[in-house]
Amino acid sequence: QVHLAESGGGSVQAGGSLNLSCAASGNTLSSNCVGWFRRTPGKEREVVAIVFTGGGSPYYADAVKGRVTISRDNAQNTYLQMNNLQPEDTAMYYCATTGPFLPIGRSAISVCRDDIDKFDVWGQGTQVTVSS
């Protein structure tokens, strides 16, 4: 069983930066997708970025591309560096992971991007608030 805990959220002014952290404990993440998602009241959950622990290029949503970087370290932590934050980035941010799988015939990132239901372990979330 994997457990996830996010941290690093806060309140910043437009143009500011935050670095969110997602600490995984329990089973080792290997051949999993780890994603960052966000949700605001009244809106659908939105993918922000996804990385596959087995390697390959990450995925970024168009709304954040160029402003956000997802990365991992050797200690099972996943990070979301967010720069040039805007008020529309205000949301609760969650990290989530899939179970391990081996992609066949297509990239792991495309599998995870197209089937969000594969993300079955979620953290509690960390709030990001950006003021204008």
Side-chain angles (χ1 to χ4, degrees):
Q1 184 76 19
V2 174
H3 299 277
L4 303 176
E6 303 94 335
S7 61
S11 296
V12 298
Q13 290 191 321
S17 298
L18 285 172
N19 189 24
L20 307 184
S21 298
C22 174
S25 59
N27 292 344
T28 299
L29 295 178
S30 177
S31 297
N32 307 63
C33 281
V34 181
W36 282 98
F37 301 80
R38 65 187 183 187
R39 174 175 276 165
T40 55
K43 291 182 69 176
E44 294 286 325
R45 179 184 57 191
E46 180 183 16
V47 174
V48 178
I50 300 171
V51 65
F52 182 58
T53 61
S57 298
Y59 165 79
Y60 296 100
D62 288 343
V64 301
K65 199 172 294 183
R67 301 188 295 121
V68 163
T69 302
I70 187 171
S71 63
R72 302 191 70 247
D73 63 18
N74 293 329
Q76 298 248 90
N77 300 314
T78 304
Y79 304 96
L80 189 71
Q81 175 67 42
M82 300 191 295
N83 300 320
N84 191 23
L85 284 161
Q86 300 300 314
E88 54 265 33
D89 296 315
T90 296
M92 183 72 80
Y93 284 71
Y94 301 87
C95 68
T97 186
T98 67
F101 71 99
L102 292 177
I104 299 175
R106 56 187 298 205
S107 71
I109 285 295
S110 67
V111 171
C112 296
R113 177 197 64 208
D114 295 342
D115 186 6
I116 302 302
D117 289 339
K118 290 185 72 69
F119 290 89
D120 57 1
V121 177
W122 292 78
Q124 294 296 310
T126 185
Q127 178 68 37
V128 171
T129 302
V130 185
S131 58
S132 57

